[in-house]
Amino acid sequence: VSTQSTGKLVPYRTDKCDGEGRLITPHTSVPGVRRSDVYTVFGEYCYHHYMQDKFNDNGWGCAYRSLQTLCSWYLYNGYATTPVPSHSQIQQILVDLGDKADKFVGSK
């Protein structure tokens, strides 16, 4: 963990992948993107994609992965300290909030 000039704690990496092989801020590596181009994201994030983490969510996990990517932005930019939630943790949160029934946890 390193401290930026803002004083926030930010995970420190020496490459463009996290420890699990996920890409870090991949939109900045797209060929043809210039430094002067406008980005819709400020700060780093970890790109979560289905079929990562030895978990088969192909065809149904994109909303979970989008939420995980958003959560990683908060973590990487010092606005959160909790790890990015797993699919089952996201499902449990929805159950705890009363949005889903108990049987939702572990479903596709």
XYZ file of all heavy atoms in Angstrom:
860
model
N 0.850 -1.189 0.000
C 0.000 0.000 0.000
C 0.883 1.235 0.000
O 1.861 1.305 0.724
C -0.914 0.007 1.250
C -1.727 1.268 1.311
C -1.823 -1.208 1.246
N 0.539 2.206 -0.840
C 1.292 3.451 -0.886
C 0.349 4.620 -0.642
O -0.855 4.490 -0.734
C 1.978 3.611 -2.241
O 1.012 3.755 -3.255
N 0.912 5.770 -0.342
C 0.110 6.966 -0.116
C 0.325 7.936 -1.248
O 1.454 8.275 -1.572
C 0.494 7.631 1.225
O 0.340 6.665 2.248
C -0.386 8.835 1.500
N -0.774 8.365 -1.894
C -0.671 9.369 -2.934
C -0.597 10.735 -2.276
O -0.718 10.878 -1.075
C -1.896 9.319 -3.851
C -1.956 8.089 -4.714
C -3.175 8.124 -5.605
O -4.222 8.610 -5.213
N -3.013 7.592 -6.801
N -0.462 11.787 -3.090
C -0.405 13.141 -2.554
C -1.698 13.527 -1.846
O -1.715 14.437 -1.042
C -0.117 14.136 -3.678
O -1.124 14.056 -4.660
N -2.779 12.791 -2.105
C -4.048 13.070 -1.445
C -4.066 12.541 -0.015
O -4.962 12.866 0.742
C -5.209 12.426 -2.211
O -4.988 11.008 -2.238
C -5.328 12.975 -3.614
N -3.110 11.694 0.319
C -3.062 11.112 1.650
C -3.879 9.844 1.773
O -3.913 9.216 2.817
N -4.567 9.423 0.697
C -5.359 8.203 0.729
C -4.452 6.996 0.547
O -3.444 7.068 -0.142
C -6.416 8.218 -0.377
C -7.450 9.301 -0.207
C -8.476 9.250 -1.309
C -7.873 9.688 -2.609
N -8.816 9.779 -3.705
N -4.824 5.880 1.131
C -4.081 4.646 0.946
C -4.478 4.024 -0.380
O -5.649 3.887 -0.695
C -4.365 3.670 2.082
C -3.886 4.118 3.450
C -4.285 3.092 4.496
C -2.380 4.292 3.455
N -3.486 3.656 -1.173
C -3.726 3.085 -2.490
C -2.853 1.841 -2.640
O -1.675 1.881 -2.314
C -3.384 4.108 -3.598
C -3.602 3.503 -4.976
C -4.204 5.369 -3.424
N -3.433 0.715 -3.114
C -2.610 -0.480 -3.314
C -1.458 -0.192 -4.268
O -1.631 0.527 -5.242
C -3.590 -1.475 -3.934
C -4.945 -0.966 -3.577
C -4.808 0.527 -3.477
N -0.317 -0.764 -3.988
C 0.869 -0.527 -4.811
C 1.131 -1.747 -5.687
O 1.141 -2.868 -5.218
C 2.086 -0.276 -3.915
C 3.363 -0.126 -4.690
C 3.627 1.045 -5.387
C 4.285 -1.140 -4.752
C 4.788 1.194 -6.120
C 5.449 -1.014 -5.476
C 5.698 0.157 -6.157
O 6.848 0.303 -6.887
N 1.318 -1.517 -6.965
C 1.654 -2.572 -7.903
C 2.774 -2.087 -8.804
O 2.890 -0.907 -9.072
C 0.453 -2.936 -8.778
C -0.673 -3.572 -8.022
C -1.934 -3.566 -8.859
N -2.149 -2.311 -9.565
C -2.578 -1.184 -8.990
N -2.821 -1.152 -7.712
N -2.767 -0.090 -9.701
N 3.548 -3.024 -9.305
C 4.621 -2.646 -10.226
C 4.279 -3.002 -11.659
O 5.033 -2.704 -12.563
C 5.938 -3.351 -9.839
O 5.716 -4.754 -9.836
C 6.407 -2.886 -8.481
N 3.146 -3.675 -11.896
C 2.758 -4.013 -13.266
C 1.290 -3.641 -13.465
O 0.702 -2.973 -12.636
C 2.970 -5.506 -13.529
C 2.232 -6.380 -12.533
O 1.283 -5.903 -11.885
O 2.598 -7.538 -12.409
N 0.717 -4.032 -14.582
C -0.662 -3.664 -14.890
C -1.645 -4.794 -14.598
O -2.714 -4.847 -15.152
C -0.785 -3.225 -16.343
C 0.007 -1.967 -16.661
C -0.393 -0.790 -15.787
C -1.605 -0.099 -16.300
N -2.031 1.048 -15.525
N -1.287 -5.738 -13.727
C -2.190 -6.799 -13.295
C -2.138 -6.901 -11.786
O -1.118 -6.632 -11.166
C -1.792 -8.151 -13.882
S -2.108 -8.305 -15.635
N -3.276 -7.278 -11.195
C -3.271 -7.508 -9.752
C -2.719 -8.905 -9.483
O -2.312 -9.606 -10.396
C -4.669 -7.310 -9.164
C -5.644 -8.402 -9.556
O -5.290 -9.288 -10.363
O -6.778 -8.370 -9.047
N -2.698 -9.333 -8.250
C -2.141 -10.630 -7.888
C -2.913 -11.821 -8.438
O -2.412 -12.937 -8.436
N -4.132 -11.597 -8.917
C -4.964 -12.673 -9.446
C -4.998 -12.674 -10.971
O -5.749 -13.421 -11.574
C -6.392 -12.536 -8.910
C -6.482 -12.565 -7.392
C -6.016 -13.890 -6.804
O -6.317 -14.938 -7.397
O -5.340 -13.870 -5.767
N -4.205 -11.818 -11.626
C -4.149 -11.784 -13.073
C -5.168 -10.876 -13.737
O -5.305 -10.884 -14.954
N -5.912 -10.096 -12.943
C -6.880 -9.160 -13.521
C -6.163 -7.915 -14.015
O -5.212 -7.446 -13.389
C -7.919 -8.764 -12.484
C -8.816 -9.893 -12.080
C -9.860 -9.406 -11.078
N -10.252 -10.495 -10.232
C -9.704 -10.782 -9.041
N -8.760 -10.031 -8.543
N -10.121 -11.814 -8.356
N -6.622 -7.358 -15.143
C -6.029 -6.154 -15.717
C -6.338 -4.933 -14.863
O -7.437 -4.800 -14.339
C -6.565 -5.928 -17.134
C -6.242 -7.016 -18.149
C -6.957 -6.722 -19.454
C -4.749 -7.125 -18.358
N -5.379 -4.031 -14.762
C -5.550 -2.784 -14.029
C -5.720 -1.657 -15.047
O -4.895 -1.468 -15.929
C -4.327 -2.491 -13.127
C -4.073 -3.663 -12.172
C -4.515 -1.180 -12.361
C -5.207 -3.984 -11.227
N -6.818 -0.917 -14.935
C -7.117 0.244 -15.774
C -6.861 -0.065 -17.260
O -6.079 0.612 -17.918
C -6.299 1.458 -15.304
O -6.242 1.447 -13.873
C -6.939 2.761 -15.728
N -7.522 -1.094 -17.797
C -7.196 -1.546 -19.150
C -7.484 -0.536 -20.251
O -6.845 -0.585 -21.297
C -8.057 -2.796 -19.328
C -9.180 -2.626 -18.377
C -8.599 -1.885 -17.211
N -8.383 0.393 -20.035
C -8.705 1.340 -21.112
C -7.526 2.229 -21.479
O -7.468 2.766 -22.572
C -9.923 2.199 -20.742
C -9.663 3.218 -19.694
N -9.609 2.911 -18.349
C -9.431 4.538 -19.793
C -9.351 3.999 -17.656
N -9.245 5.014 -18.510
N -6.552 2.353 -20.575
C -5.387 3.191 -20.879
C -4.371 2.473 -21.767
O -3.429 3.097 -22.236
C -4.693 3.661 -19.593
O -4.258 2.510 -18.857
C -5.630 4.509 -18.749
N -4.555 1.169 -21.988
C -3.620 0.397 -22.808
C -4.144 0.124 -24.208
O -3.494 -0.558 -24.980
C -3.336 -0.944 -22.128
O -2.754 -0.729 -20.864
N -5.304 0.652 -24.550
C -5.886 0.421 -25.874
C -5.055 1.153 -26.924
O -4.780 2.345 -26.777
C -7.356 0.908 -25.909
C -7.939 0.765 -27.305
C -8.190 0.158 -24.882
N -4.654 0.446 -27.981
C -3.871 1.113 -29.030
C -4.636 2.305 -29.612
O -5.848 2.244 -29.821
C -3.698 0.023 -30.091
C -3.886 -1.260 -29.360
C -4.873 -0.967 -28.268
N -3.930 3.383 -29.850
C -4.541 4.568 -30.426
C -5.034 5.578 -29.405
O -5.397 6.688 -29.761
N -5.072 5.207 -28.124
C -5.497 6.152 -27.093
C -4.317 7.059 -26.774
O -3.225 6.595 -26.472
C -5.978 5.419 -25.822
C -6.281 6.405 -24.716
C -7.195 4.567 -26.129
N -4.529 8.342 -26.901
C -3.464 9.316 -26.629
C -3.625 9.877 -25.223
O -4.703 9.872 -24.653
C -3.561 10.454 -27.644
C -3.423 9.999 -29.090
C -3.617 11.169 -30.045
N -4.770 11.979 -29.733
C -5.981 11.860 -30.299
N -6.190 10.938 -31.205
N -6.970 12.660 -29.976
N -2.559 10.377 -24.671
C -2.593 10.988 -23.350
C -3.580 12.143 -23.287
O -4.137 12.442 -22.254
C -1.199 11.494 -22.972
C -0.299 10.424 -22.439
C -0.185 10.708 -20.958
N 0.842 9.998 -20.293
C 0.557 9.109 -19.355
N -0.658 8.765 -19.103
N 1.526 8.558 -18.679
N -3.787 12.814 -24.413
C -4.688 13.963 -24.424
C -6.152 13.564 -24.557
O -7.033 14.412 -24.465
C -4.310 14.904 -25.576
O -4.442 14.228 -26.814
N -6.434 12.261 -24.775
C -7.818 11.810 -24.893
C -8.541 11.959 -23.552
O -7.933 11.878 -22.484
C -7.884 10.349 -25.324
C -7.505 10.156 -26.785
O -7.462 11.156 -27.523
O -7.258 9.005 -27.162
N -9.822 12.156 -23.619
C -10.641 12.294 -22.419
C -11.098 10.910 -21.972
O -11.591 10.127 -22.785
C -11.865 13.192 -22.695
C -12.757 13.267 -21.479
C -11.413 14.584 -23.118
N -10.920 10.612 -20.710
C -11.368 9.345 -20.146
C -12.600 9.588 -19.284
O -12.772 10.657 -18.719
C -10.283 8.724 -19.259
C -9.020 8.404 -19.990
C -7.838 9.042 -19.671
C -9.012 7.462 -21.009
C -6.670 8.748 -20.355
C -7.844 7.165 -21.679
C -6.681 7.805 -21.350
O -5.528 7.512 -22.007
N -13.424 8.581 -19.176
C -14.582 8.691 -18.297
C -14.253 8.199 -16.891
O -15.075 8.281 -16.012
C -15.764 7.887 -18.864
O -15.352 6.528 -19.026
C -16.222 8.457 -20.181
N -13.045 7.697 -16.698
C -12.606 7.178 -15.403
C -11.374 7.950 -14.970
O -10.443 8.133 -15.747
C -12.253 5.680 -15.503
C -11.706 5.170 -14.179
C -13.440 4.866 -15.948
N -11.359 8.390 -13.729
C -10.168 9.008 -13.170
C -9.698 8.122 -12.031
O -10.436 7.888 -11.080
C -10.458 10.420 -12.653
C -9.225 11.090 -12.119
C -8.292 11.661 -12.972
C -8.978 11.111 -10.763
C -7.144 12.255 -12.486
C -7.829 11.707 -10.257
C -6.915 12.276 -11.126
N -8.507 7.609 -12.135
C -7.985 6.699 -11.123
C -7.956 5.281 -11.656
O -8.520 4.969 -12.699
N -7.284 4.425 -10.934
C -7.145 3.041 -11.357
C -8.278 2.187 -10.832
O -8.932 2.524 -9.853
C -5.797 2.488 -10.911
C -4.650 3.125 -11.668
C -3.332 2.397 -11.467
O -3.155 1.780 -10.400
O -2.506 2.451 -12.371
N -8.481 1.073 -11.506
C -9.474 0.088 -11.099
C -9.025 -1.272 -11.617
O -8.140 -1.368 -12.462
C -10.864 0.425 -11.663
C -10.912 0.473 -13.165
C -11.279 -0.646 -13.903
C -10.582 1.622 -13.861
C -11.314 -0.616 -15.297
C -10.611 1.672 -15.248
C -10.986 0.547 -15.960
O -11.013 0.580 -17.326
N -9.612 -2.303 -11.097
C -9.296 -3.665 -11.512
C -10.465 -4.182 -12.345
O -11.597 -4.200 -11.883
C -9.093 -4.529 -10.277
S -8.588 -6.204 -10.641
N -10.184 -4.574 -13.583
C -11.232 -5.035 -14.490
C -11.601 -6.477 -14.172
O -10.790 -7.386 -14.323
C -10.751 -4.907 -15.929
C -11.735 -5.409 -16.952
C -12.990 -4.830 -17.069
C -11.407 -6.457 -17.789
C -13.897 -5.283 -18.009
C -12.307 -6.910 -18.739
C -13.546 -6.327 -18.845
O -14.439 -6.775 -19.767
N -12.814 -6.685 -13.717
C -13.324 -8.031 -13.432
C -14.138 -8.491 -14.634
O -14.994 -7.759 -15.126
C -14.196 -8.012 -12.173
C -13.417 -7.789 -10.932
N -13.114 -8.801 -10.051
C -12.847 -6.671 -10.428
C -12.409 -8.310 -9.049
N -12.236 -7.021 -9.256
N -13.876 -9.704 -15.099
C -14.545 -10.242 -16.281
C -15.016 -11.656 -15.959
O -14.396 -12.352 -15.160
C -13.567 -10.268 -17.458
C -14.226 -10.475 -18.776
N -14.449 -11.723 -19.290
C -14.715 -9.586 -19.667
C -15.056 -11.610 -20.466
N -15.214 -10.318 -20.721
N -16.124 -12.072 -16.580
C -16.610 -13.417 -16.295
C -15.572 -14.459 -16.673
O -14.692 -14.222 -17.482
C -17.965 -13.692 -16.955
C -18.078 -13.360 -18.418
C -17.708 -14.281 -19.378
C -18.572 -12.137 -18.829
C -17.817 -13.992 -20.720
C -18.683 -11.827 -20.173
C -18.301 -12.769 -21.119
O -18.417 -12.472 -22.446
N -15.669 -15.578 -16.010
C -14.762 -16.712 -16.136
C -13.426 -16.477 -15.421
O -12.494 -17.258 -15.581
C -14.511 -17.075 -17.610
C -15.770 -17.421 -18.387
S -16.621 -18.871 -17.764
C -15.508 -20.163 -18.240
N -13.318 -15.437 -14.606
C -12.110 -15.233 -13.801
C -12.315 -15.896 -12.438
O -13.411 -16.295 -12.088
C -11.849 -13.742 -13.579
C -11.306 -13.034 -14.780
C -11.013 -11.574 -14.480
O -11.663 -10.936 -13.680
N -10.027 -11.040 -15.166
N -11.277 -15.951 -11.669
C -11.321 -16.466 -10.299
C -11.733 -17.932 -10.234
O -12.317 -18.378 -9.253
C -12.265 -15.629 -9.423
C -11.974 -14.151 -9.492
O -10.788 -13.794 -9.442
O -12.924 -13.358 -9.607
N -11.472 -18.671 -11.329
C -11.849 -20.091 -11.378
C -13.340 -20.266 -11.102
O -13.762 -21.189 -10.410
C -11.008 -20.908 -10.395
C -9.521 -20.860 -10.683
C -8.732 -21.624 -9.659
C -7.246 -21.430 -9.959
N -6.428 -21.821 -8.844
N -14.151 -19.338 -11.637
C -15.594 -19.331 -11.384
C -16.323 -19.162 -12.714
O -16.112 -18.177 -13.416
C -15.939 -18.180 -10.424
C -17.364 -18.197 -9.951
C -17.762 -19.090 -8.973
C -18.282 -17.326 -10.500
C -19.074 -19.107 -8.536
C -19.598 -17.332 -10.064
C -19.990 -18.226 -9.091
N -17.157 -20.138 -13.067
C -17.857 -20.103 -14.347
C -19.154 -19.312 -14.219
O -20.165 -19.835 -13.762
C -18.139 -21.520 -14.840
C -18.762 -21.533 -16.223
O -19.097 -20.501 -16.787
N -18.909 -22.722 -16.778
N -19.107 -18.060 -14.607
C -20.307 -17.222 -14.627
C -20.580 -16.732 -16.045
O -21.229 -15.711 -16.251
C -20.193 -16.053 -13.656
C -18.989 -15.162 -13.915
O -18.073 -15.570 -14.659
O -18.956 -14.055 -13.363
N -20.118 -17.504 -17.016
C -20.301 -17.159 -18.421
C -21.794 -17.118 -18.757
O -22.520 -18.060 -18.472
C -19.589 -18.171 -19.311
C -19.546 -17.742 -20.759
O -19.647 -16.565 -21.066
N -19.394 -18.705 -21.646
N -22.234 -16.018 -19.314
C -23.619 -15.882 -19.719
C -24.550 -15.296 -18.675
O -25.700 -14.998 -18.976
N -24.088 -15.147 -17.433
C -24.966 -14.584 -16.410
C -24.245 -13.686 -15.414
O -24.900 -12.989 -14.632
C -25.690 -15.693 -15.643
C -24.776 -16.590 -14.843
C -24.148 -17.713 -15.262
C -24.390 -16.421 -13.476
N -23.379 -18.251 -14.265
C -23.519 -17.486 -13.143
C -24.684 -15.487 -12.494
C -22.961 -17.629 -11.894
C -24.119 -15.637 -11.231
C -23.278 -16.700 -10.943
N -22.939 -13.619 -15.426
C -22.211 -12.910 -14.373
C -21.811 -11.480 -14.677
O -21.137 -10.844 -13.862
N -22.237 -10.929 -15.816
C -21.715 -9.606 -16.192
C -22.123 -8.505 -15.219
O -21.338 -7.606 -14.942
C -22.086 -9.245 -17.618
S -23.834 -9.227 -17.955
N -23.312 -8.548 -14.660
C -23.717 -7.517 -13.694
C -22.882 -7.621 -12.415
O -22.480 -6.604 -11.842
C -25.201 -7.626 -13.371
N -22.590 -8.840 -11.985
C -21.735 -9.034 -10.814
C -20.341 -8.486 -11.092
O -19.751 -7.796 -10.259
C -21.628 -10.529 -10.459
C -22.901 -11.130 -9.942
C -23.829 -11.696 -10.800
C -23.175 -11.143 -8.579
C -24.995 -12.263 -10.325
C -24.340 -11.709 -8.085
C -25.252 -12.270 -8.966
O -26.397 -12.817 -8.482
N -19.796 -8.807 -12.271
C -18.439 -8.367 -12.618
C -18.375 -6.855 -12.774
O -17.377 -6.235 -12.414
C -17.964 -9.063 -13.893
C -17.879 -10.580 -13.770
C -16.994 -11.021 -12.619
N -16.847 -12.471 -12.620
C -15.879 -13.113 -12.014
N -14.962 -12.463 -11.327
N -15.813 -14.422 -12.060
N -19.434 -6.254 -13.297
C -19.471 -4.784 -13.393
C -19.441 -4.167 -12.002
O -18.709 -3.200 -11.757
C -20.724 -4.327 -14.150
O -20.675 -4.758 -15.485
N -20.227 -4.721 -11.084
C -20.226 -4.217 -9.708
C -18.860 -4.426 -9.064
O -18.346 -3.532 -8.377
C -21.316 -4.891 -8.879
C -21.397 -4.467 -7.414
C -21.648 -2.956 -7.284
C -22.474 -5.254 -6.688
N -18.237 -5.576 -9.303
C -16.901 -5.823 -8.753
C -15.888 -4.822 -9.304
O -15.026 -4.336 -8.561
C -16.465 -7.259 -9.069
C -17.226 -8.298 -8.293
C -16.875 -9.702 -8.720
O -16.704 -9.989 -9.910
N -16.762 -10.597 -7.752
N -15.985 -4.500 -10.584
C -15.089 -3.506 -11.176
C -15.288 -2.153 -10.517
O -14.314 -1.470 -10.168
C -15.315 -3.420 -12.703
O -14.985 -4.689 -13.292
C -14.454 -2.337 -13.336
N -16.545 -1.752 -10.316
C -16.826 -0.478 -9.633
C -16.290 -0.478 -8.203
O -15.680 0.496 -7.755
C -18.333 -0.202 -9.627
C -18.943 0.134 -10.975
C -20.462 0.140 -10.876
C -18.427 1.456 -11.489
N -16.504 -1.575 -7.482
C -15.999 -1.670 -6.101
C -14.483 -1.564 -6.065
O -13.916 -0.967 -5.147
C -16.449 -2.978 -5.464
S -18.209 -3.063 -5.092
N -13.816 -2.126 -7.079
C -12.353 -2.058 -7.103
C -11.870 -0.624 -7.275
O -10.821 -0.262 -6.753
C -11.782 -2.949 -8.209
O -11.896 -2.352 -9.487
N -12.639 0.205 -8.007
C -12.257 1.611 -8.158
C -12.221 2.286 -6.785
O -11.282 3.009 -6.458
C -13.205 2.355 -9.096
C -12.794 3.786 -9.296
C -11.965 4.267 -10.258
C -13.150 4.917 -8.485
N -11.791 5.627 -10.104
C -12.505 6.049 -9.020
C -13.955 5.079 -7.360
C -12.646 7.319 -8.467
C -14.098 6.344 -6.806
C -13.441 7.447 -7.368
N -13.236 2.041 -5.973
C -13.269 2.615 -4.619
C -12.087 2.113 -3.794
O -11.461 2.879 -3.064
C -14.582 2.280 -3.915
C -15.730 3.125 -4.400
C -16.562 2.691 -5.429
C -15.978 4.374 -3.852
C -17.605 3.473 -5.881
C -17.021 5.166 -4.302
C -17.825 4.709 -5.316
O -18.851 5.495 -5.771
N -11.765 0.835 -3.919
C -10.646 0.259 -3.176
C -9.310 0.829 -3.659
O -8.500 1.299 -2.862
C -10.664 -1.262 -3.329
C -9.565 -2.032 -2.602
C -9.715 -1.871 -1.089
C -9.619 -3.498 -2.985
N -9.069 0.836 -4.963
C -7.792 1.293 -5.520
C -7.563 2.798 -5.354
O -6.435 3.257 -5.412
C -7.682 0.930 -7.003
C -7.202 -0.474 -7.233
C -8.053 -1.548 -7.069
C -5.893 -0.723 -7.607
C -7.613 -2.846 -7.268
C -5.441 -2.007 -7.810
C -6.314 -3.066 -7.638
O -5.876 -4.342 -7.834
N -8.632 3.536 -5.146
C -8.502 4.987 -5.014
C -8.679 5.476 -3.585
O -8.822 6.668 -3.349
C -9.462 5.680 -5.987
C -9.018 5.463 -7.411
O -8.112 6.133 -7.883
N -9.604 4.497 -8.094
N -8.633 4.545 -2.629
C -8.592 4.893 -1.224
C -9.914 5.264 -0.589
O -9.935 5.798 0.517
N -11.031 4.956 -1.253
C -12.340 5.280 -0.688
C -12.979 4.108 0.042
O -14.048 4.247 0.624
C -13.288 5.776 -1.790
C -12.844 7.080 -2.394
C -12.225 7.113 -3.638
C -13.015 8.275 -1.706
C -11.806 8.309 -4.195
C -12.587 9.471 -2.248
C -11.991 9.484 -3.498
O -11.572 10.672 -4.041
N -12.346 2.948 -0.017
C -12.840 1.757 0.662
C -11.645 0.944 1.134
O -10.551 1.061 0.589
C -13.703 0.918 -0.280
N -11.873 0.138 2.134
C -10.810 -0.731 2.637
C -11.220 -2.197 2.597
O -10.378 -3.063 2.802
C -10.435 -0.365 4.088
O -11.606 -0.436 4.902
C -9.843 1.028 4.153
N -12.483 -2.483 2.336
C -12.924 -3.872 2.273
C -12.621 -4.456 0.894
O -12.660 -3.744 -0.104
C -14.435 -3.995 2.551
O -15.140 -3.163 1.627
C -14.764 -3.565 3.964
N -12.339 -5.742 0.839
C -12.052 -6.378 -0.452
C -13.272 -6.347 -1.380
O -14.411 -6.194 -0.930
C -11.715 -7.825 -0.075
C -11.428 -7.806 1.382
C -12.197 -6.662 1.955
N -13.037 -6.520 -2.648
C -14.114 -6.595 -3.632
C -14.952 -7.832 -3.314
O -14.404 -8.919 -3.114
C -13.527 -6.677 -5.059
C -14.609 -6.922 -6.081
C -12.747 -5.406 -5.378
N -16.277 -7.694 -3.247
C -17.120 -8.832 -2.872
C -17.204 -9.894 -3.951
O -17.148 -9.591 -5.149
C -18.491 -8.191 -2.631
C -18.494 -6.966 -3.487
C -17.061 -6.478 -3.491
N -17.358 -11.133 -3.532
C -17.539 -12.259 -4.454
C -19.005 -12.315 -4.884
O -19.857 -11.590 -4.349
C -17.179 -13.571 -3.759
O -18.105 -13.822 -2.706
N -19.302 -13.197 -5.834
C -20.686 -13.374 -6.276
C -21.594 -13.731 -5.097
O -22.664 -13.151 -4.919
C -20.786 -14.482 -7.325
C -20.257 -14.105 -8.661
N -18.970 -13.709 -8.873
C -20.862 -14.073 -9.878
C -18.784 -13.455 -10.151
N -19.915 -13.671 -10.793
N -21.162 -14.714 -4.303
C -22.008 -15.140 -3.179
C -22.156 -14.037 -2.141
O -23.221 -13.904 -1.526
C -21.478 -16.429 -2.554
O -20.189 -16.234 -2.023
N -21.120 -13.236 -1.919
C -21.245 -12.114 -0.981
C -22.230 -11.068 -1.508
O -23.027 -10.529 -0.733
C -19.884 -11.478 -0.726
C -18.959 -12.357 0.087
C -17.540 -11.812 0.137
O -17.025 -11.279 -0.850
N -16.910 -11.960 1.290
N -22.209 -10.791 -2.800
C -23.164 -9.854 -3.396
C -24.578 -10.399 -3.244
O -25.505 -9.676 -2.851
C -22.831 -9.592 -4.877
C -21.490 -8.852 -5.002
C -23.954 -8.803 -5.556
C -20.936 -8.804 -6.417
N -24.738 -11.694 -3.520
C -26.058 -12.306 -3.374
C -26.539 -12.236 -1.926
O -27.709 -11.945 -1.670
C -26.023 -13.751 -3.866
C -25.862 -13.854 -5.363
C -25.727 -15.285 -5.850
O -25.324 -16.185 -5.110
N -26.063 -15.497 -7.118
N -25.651 -12.485 -0.974
C -26.035 -12.434 0.440
C -26.445 -11.024 0.847
O -27.382 -10.837 1.615
C -24.898 -12.941 1.330
C -25.281 -13.036 2.798
C -26.415 -14.030 3.030
O -26.322 -15.186 2.632
N -27.496 -13.581 3.670
N -25.754 -10.024 0.332
C -26.120 -8.631 0.621
C -27.531 -8.338 0.116
O -28.334 -7.707 0.811
C -25.087 -7.663 -0.004
C -23.760 -7.753 0.734
C -25.616 -6.223 0.006
C -22.593 -7.077 0.024
N -27.855 -8.826 -1.085
C -29.206 -8.617 -1.622
C -30.260 -9.320 -0.771
O -31.358 -8.791 -0.559
C -29.275 -9.095 -3.074
C -28.460 -8.259 -4.063
C -28.423 -8.932 -5.429
C -29.020 -6.850 -4.166
N -29.935 -10.485 -0.237
C -30.841 -11.198 0.677
C -30.985 -10.395 1.972
O -32.105 -10.165 2.454
C -30.336 -12.630 0.963
C -31.108 -13.260 2.107
C -30.425 -13.484 -0.297
N -29.870 -9.938 2.531
C -29.893 -9.173 3.789
C -30.690 -7.884 3.657
O -31.333 -7.446 4.612
C -28.473 -8.857 4.262
C -27.688 -10.103 4.665
O -28.305 -11.178 4.847
O -26.448 -9.999 4.775
N -30.663 -7.286 2.459
C -31.421 -6.052 2.224
C -32.912 -6.319 2.013
O -33.712 -5.383 1.962
C -30.862 -5.324 0.989
C -29.485 -4.707 1.138
C -28.973 -4.220 -0.210
C -29.533 -3.554 2.134
N -33.277 -7.593 1.870
C -34.668 -7.949 1.653
C -35.081 -7.917 0.190
O -36.263 -8.058 -0.121
N -34.126 -7.754 -0.707
C -34.433 -7.706 -2.132
C -34.637 -9.102 -2.725
O -35.367 -9.258 -3.695
C -33.308 -6.979 -2.883
C -33.615 -6.781 -4.347
O -34.578 -6.047 -4.643
O -32.913 -7.372 -5.190
N -33.980 -10.097 -2.150
C -34.060 -11.469 -2.654
C -34.347 -12.432 -1.508
O -34.034 -12.139 -0.352
C -32.743 -11.890 -3.330
C -32.338 -11.029 -4.507
C -33.250 -11.249 -5.677
C -32.790 -10.437 -6.875
N -33.741 -10.473 -7.973
N -34.911 -13.578 -1.865
C -35.172 -14.651 -0.885
C -33.869 -15.383 -0.552
O -32.906 -15.333 -1.327
C -36.190 -15.632 -1.449
N -33.860 -16.089 0.585
C -32.670 -16.828 1.027
C -32.126 -17.776 -0.042
O -30.915 -17.947 -0.171
C -32.958 -17.630 2.302
C -33.129 -16.737 3.519
O -32.689 -15.580 3.490
O -33.712 -17.213 4.507
N -33.012 -18.404 -0.815
C -32.579 -19.374 -1.812
C -31.791 -18.739 -2.961
O -31.194 -19.441 -3.774
C -33.768 -20.155 -2.367
C -34.756 -19.311 -3.130
C -35.928 -20.125 -3.625
C -36.888 -19.220 -4.383
N -38.021 -19.947 -4.893
N -31.761 -17.416 -3.013
C -31.026 -16.703 -4.067
C -29.521 -16.917 -3.951
O -28.820 -16.980 -4.959
C -31.359 -15.218 -4.004
C -30.681 -14.385 -5.053
C -30.985 -14.536 -6.399
C -29.737 -13.431 -4.696
C -30.368 -13.783 -7.372
C -29.112 -12.660 -5.667
C -29.428 -12.828 -7.010
N -29.005 -17.064 -2.725
C -27.568 -17.228 -2.519
C -27.122 -18.557 -3.142
O -27.674 -19.600 -2.861
C -27.189 -17.192 -1.026
C -25.692 -17.444 -0.827
C -27.586 -15.864 -0.423
N -26.162 -18.474 -4.058
C -25.635 -19.651 -4.748
C -26.311 -19.922 -6.080
O -25.936 -20.864 -6.769
N -27.286 -19.105 -6.428
C -27.983 -19.310 -7.698
C -27.259 -18.620 -8.841
O -26.329 -17.858 -8.623
C -29.417 -18.780 -7.598
O -29.399 -17.359 -7.505
N -27.713 -18.908 -10.062
C -27.164 -18.254 -11.253
C -28.134 -17.187 -11.707
O -29.303 -17.269 -11.586
C -26.937 -19.239 -12.388
C -25.808 -20.199 -12.089
C -25.559 -21.078 -13.301
C -24.407 -22.026 -13.033
N -24.111 -22.887 -14.142
